[in-house]
Amino acid sequence: MSTVTGTTTATQRPTRVASALAVGIALLAMWELGASSLTLVLELVGVAALAGGAGLWRREWLISGALVGVVGVAGVVGALAVASAGIARLSGFIRLIPGLIGVFVLALALVPVRGTGSRTLVKVGTALVFIGVLASGIFNAVTIGTLLVAGAATVVAWDAGEHAINVGEHLGRGRDTREIELVHIVGTGAVAFVAVEAAKFSGGVGPSGLSLASLVLLLVAVVLLAVALHD
């Protein structure tokens, strides 16, 4: 679908900057949770190839688009294989594999072959990443600071994905919306940073019985409220 604005044709797909930041921030969350550099590189290559394949398919270069898309899927499968090979316990599987799948789902939501993106897939993708955050807290696999950063990054990735779809629908992808996208995401990131610091302070002086998972849930609730107010 597209709309014509003056001499510019503006497609209503998710915008590029916010989409790229959403996926990048989700990958940052996975890095914080312990995913290896090779795993993340393969995932990034896979997602980039997926985006390229979707673009070729939309231009009706069907064979080229399909081939590049297959490369993208292979990259993601390779990332999952590398991550699985380095996992010795079930807890490690729960911490990493759902999140890596979630990044792929998030990318699917933001680089649609048809339509204007999927808010449902954005939610599903970031929820899968957040499963890794919760699992890391439950199994005490990372430090509290790392856990908080990963949780906040997941929320910011969700917000960036939603924003990419919103801006694409209302203003169009063909227009220069980079400033709007960056201002929104930087604002959300600033709110998340404040929430992380507040949660660290609460964790340092609060009740000793407060679990890491409970602290992350508290952080996410604060960030979600702040994001709602920010909008």
Side-chain angles (χ1 to χ4, degrees):
M1 182 183 298
S2 63
T3 58
V4 178
T5 55
T7 59
T8 302
T9 299
T11 62
Q12 292 181 297
R13 292 189 298 274
T15 53
R16 292 185 179 90
V17 172
S19 295
L21 286 174
V23 173
I25 294 168
L27 286 171
L28 171 64
M30 295 307 304
W31 180 73
E32 290 285 346
L33 295 178
S36 69
S37 297
L38 178 58
T39 296
L40 295 178
V41 168
L42 288 172
E43 184 93 353
L44 180 59
V45 169
V47 167
L50 176 70
L56 291 171
W57 188 278
R58 285 193 297 267
R59 292 174 175 82
E60 298 187 353
W61 297 353
L62 303 185
I63 296 177
S64 298
L67 290 174
V68 175
V70 168
V71 171
V73 173
V76 174
V77 171
L80 293 173
V82 170
S84 298
I87 293 173
R89 298 181 179 179
L90 178 61
S91 60
F93 184 91
I94 298 172
R95 288 194 306 109
L96 295 180
I97 300 303
L100 293 172
I101 295 173
V103 174
F104 178 63
V105 173
L106 178 61
L108 288 177
L110 299 174
V111 289
V113 174
R114 294 285 186 270
T116 58
S118 171
R119 291 182 177 83
T120 298
L121 287 182
V122 168
K123 292 180 176 69
V124 170
T126 50
L128 287 170
V129 175
F130 192 63
I131 287 174
V133 177
L134 288 178
S136 295
I138 292 170
F139 295 117
N140 294 315
V142 296
T143 65
I144 187 169
T146 298
L147 190 67
L148 292 170
V149 171
T154 304
V155 175
V156 175
W158 161 75
D159 181 69
E162 292 275 351
H163 189 61
I165 294 175
N166 290 338
V167 174
E169 286 181 347
H170 291 94
L171 297 179
R173 186 171 178 174
R175 300 179 63 181
D176 186 0
T177 59
R178 287 173 294 182
E179 183 176 353
I180 295 173
E181 297 172 73
L182 288 172
V183 167
H184 178 92
I185 295 170
V186 168
T188 302
V191 170
F193 175 79
V194 172
V196 166
E197 294 304 312
K200 285 181 181 178
F201 177 78
S202 298
V205 301
S208 59
L210 184 64
S211 69
L212 291 179
S214 298
L215 190 57
V216 170
L217 289 174
L218 174 63
L219 165 67
V220 171
V222 171
V223 173
L224 287 175
L225 175 61
V227 168
L229 294 175
H230 177 68
D231 287 338

